[in-house]
Amino acid sequence: MNRTEGSDTRPVLAILCNCPDPKSGRSVLRDAVGDQAVEQFRTLCLDLLQKELPLLHDIYDLAICPSREEDREWVELKFPYAEYVIPQPEGAQGERLHTIVQALRTMGHEKVVVLGADCPSLPMHYLRVIRRLFRDKDAVIGPTQNGDVYVFGVGKDVPELESVHWGSADTFGELASVLSRHGMKLGIAPPWYRVTDEHAFHRAAEDLQISHSLARQQFGMWIESVVEGGMEVGKEWGDRSLYS
């Protein structure tokens, strides 16, 4: 898609997403809440992003990065306002991240912020805080309480990211070390969490329901109903959106 005027002077926000796919592999969350709940959760995360990302278009260009090339058309229809749709390449996570960041820098964006779609309760103003941190920092990391990261951004040449053990208790420390070794001034964003296990699933239900956003409240109530076992996910919800 066409870039917006002045996009070369501001960061691009790249959203990594797993589109609903009942054939995708096992995960801690999938084992805890079931296949149908996870697939609907992914759908609702993307629905919420579809509503909320335009609120950031004054400070970021947007790139949506689905996990598979075959999801490109689906994503383009869902996010028509995004400047870019860049499917993630095959390979280990570090390789995929490096390729995406480098591609966006090649397109003229000096600063690239990468966020996973599995953080539906993330306060939107955190992304504005990250934008402000970039005023005098070369890189920004958002840590989780279990040692992982939920967001990171770089504003210089992309260091090698393959050595980092992504999605582990060592991710934050290893990524901070890599960025520091490359001479980057590092900013730390407020801590948050990714919804990757049952505990985070429960926490997201609580955090979303106390939001001022009706869409977030509805999402939180849906999660709570799944946790309490009061909804037959596949039968009652199927693939439809909460917000339609």
Side-chain angles (χ1 to χ4, degrees):
M1 299 184 66
N2 293 330
R3 294 170 58 188
T4 58
E5 183 179 356
S7 61
D8 58 338
T9 65
R10 62 180 184 173
V12 57
L13 177 63
I15 305 293
L16 303 180
C17 62
N18 290 308
C19 299
D21 176 15
K23 296 181 180 180
S24 59
R26 306 312 302 171
S27 68
V28 173
L29 183 60
R30 190 178 291 272
D31 290 340
V33 303
D35 293 344
Q36 292 177 320
V38 167
E39 296 313 311
Q40 184 65 18
F41 174 74
R42 288 180 175 181
T43 297
L44 297 177
C45 283
L46 294 175
D47 287 348
L48 187 62
L49 284 169
Q50 183 185 44
K51 284 181 170 291
E52 294 187 340
L53 286 178
L55 301 176
L56 299 171
H57 231 155
D58 60 323
I59 58 169
Y60 289 104
D61 279 357
L62 298 173
I64 310 298
C65 305
S67 57
R68 307 178 306 177
E69 173 65 38
E70 53 262 43
D71 291 321
R72 178 191 291 271
E73 184 176 357
W74 186 85
V75 167
E76 288 176 344
L77 291 172
K78 197 169 190 67
F79 297 93
Y81 50 79
E83 278 71 29
Y84 313 102
V85 172
I86 305 177
Q88 299 173 45
E90 295 183 0
Q93 186 168 359
E95 296 171 353
R96 298 198 309 269
L97 293 172
H98 189 276
T99 299
I100 289 170
V101 173
Q102 188 61 50
L104 288 166
R105 285 180 58 83
T106 300
M107 294 172 184
H109 291 277
E110 179 183 0
K111 299 175 180 179
V112 181
V113 177
V114 180
L115 174 70
D118 56 359
C119 306
S121 60
L122 178 71
M124 292 294 284
H125 73 270
Y126 277 28
L127 292 167
R128 294 185 178 273
V129 170
I130 290 167
R131 176 68 178 88
R132 290 196 295 271
L133 285 171
F134 256 139
R135 291 175 182 171
D136 60 359
K137 304 296 182 184
D138 303 313
V140 178
I141 307 178
T144 67
Q145 292 179 339
N146 63 1
D148 198 358
V149 299
Y150 69 90
V151 68
F152 78 93
V154 290
K156 282 187 174 182
D157 290 339
V158 188
E160 296 300 319
L161 301 175
E162 292 86 342
S163 63
V164 176
H165 291 86
W166 295 94
S168 75
D170 299 319
T171 303
F172 175 78
E174 291 179 356
L175 181 57
S177 178
V178 167
L179 296 173
S180 297
R181 286 201 306 270
H182 281 75
M184 295 190 180
K185 294 170 57 180
L186 186 60
I188 306 300
W192 203 246
Y193 62 97
R194 299 171 55 213
V195 181
T196 57
D197 57 30
E198 189 173 12
H199 173 75
F201 198 64
H202 289 216
R203 179 180 174 185
E206 297 175 359
D207 289 337
L208 288 164
Q209 286 185 83
I210 63 174
S211 169
H212 295 296
S213 160
L214 178 59
R216 289 191 173 212
Q217 291 171 19
Q218 290 175 312
F219 196 172
M221 288 187 287
W222 176 84
I223 295 175
E224 184 176 48
S225 71
V226 172
V227 169
E228 294 177 351
M231 178 180 295
E232 294 183 42
V233 179
K235 178 180 178 181
E236 186 164 346
W237 289 99
D239 293 327
R240 73 181 177 88
S241 167
L242 277 177
Y243 317 122
S244 59

